[in-house]
Amino acid sequence: RAVAEVVVKAWKCKDQEVVLSHDLHWIRDRDNSQFSIRSEAKVSRLDENAMIVIVRDISERVKVFEAEKKVLFETTSRLKDAEANRFTRHEVKNGLLAAIGLYETLCDAQRSQLTSVQRSIARPSSMTKLASLGIDAEAEISENVV
């Protein structure tokens, strides 16, 4: 019956030569289990009432094709993911480097501002600290100068 379906399908085609894909469904007699076979039928019409039909099992070819398609899809997905990760890492790294540069610029500006302020108040500040320790800094300085 399965091959008869292919022949009927082939007979309906009016082309001189055609290749048809068809699933052949078989039922095993001993256990009534069903299975299907992917097939390819090459039809060559000899005249109006005669034709040659060559049926070939392409199940393995279809399985290999599906496996290759799956591998190609996974490989492409991995490559896209890797490219996205590279781009993301690049963007994150650029952002971090810009933030570090900004931080260093702010620190340099604050250091230079603190240095000029500290220079203007350095003597009184150190004198105050020494006085709080009970040391007369001006007397110490004048003793050393003499």
Side-chain angles (χ1 to χ4, degrees):
R1 177 169 182 240
V3 177
E5 291 173 5
V6 174
V7 172
V8 169
K9 198 173 182 181
W11 195 262
K12 289 180 182 178
C13 292
K14 298 299 177 189
D15 296 335
Q16 192 68 23
E17 284 196 12
V18 68
V19 177
L20 304 170
S21 288
H22 190 72
D23 287 333
L24 300 175
H25 300 285
W26 297 88
I27 299 174
R28 288 191 181 127
D29 289 331
R30 59 184 164 183
D31 58 357
N32 276 346
S33 63
Q34 274 191 350
F35 64 97
S36 63
I37 298 172
R38 280 303 289 250
S39 66
E40 176 182 84
K42 183 174 181 186
V43 180
S44 298
R45 202 171 267 289
L46 301 175
D47 63 23
E48 194 172 313
N49 295 324
M51 70 177 160
I52 297 174
V53 179
I54 301 171
V55 180
R56 190 177 325 153
D57 179 6
I58 60 168
S59 300
E60 289 299 317
R61 189 180 347 163
V62 170
K63 286 179 187 175
V64 168
F65 175 74
E66 292 298 323
E68 288 174 351
K69 190 166 74 170
K70 184 178 177 183
V71 167
L72 182 64
F73 176 76
E74 289 173 357
T75 303
T76 305
S77 295
R78 273 193 225 109
L79 289 174
K80 286 180 182 178
D81 288 346
E83 184 64 31
N85 286 340
R86 269 195 301 277
F87 177 76
T88 304
R89 278 195 309 258
H90 176 73
E91 291 300 313
V92 169
K93 187 172 107 179
N94 282 348
L96 287 174
L97 290 175
I100 290 169
L102 182 61
Y103 171 76
E104 288 176 351
T105 303
L106 289 172
C107 286
D108 290 343
Q110 190 174 11
R111 274 189 214 110
S112 66
Q113 191 176 22
L114 283 176
T115 306
S116 64
V117 169
Q118 284 175 341
R119 272 183 265 166
S120 67
I121 61 170
R123 279 202 184 240
S125 169
S126 58
M127 298 272 189
T128 308
K129 286 180 185 175
L130 291 172
S132 68
L133 294 173
I135 302 171
D136 185 11
E138 290 181 15
E140 294 277 332
I141 294 171
S142 58
E143 285 178 11
N144 290 334
V145 172
V146 178

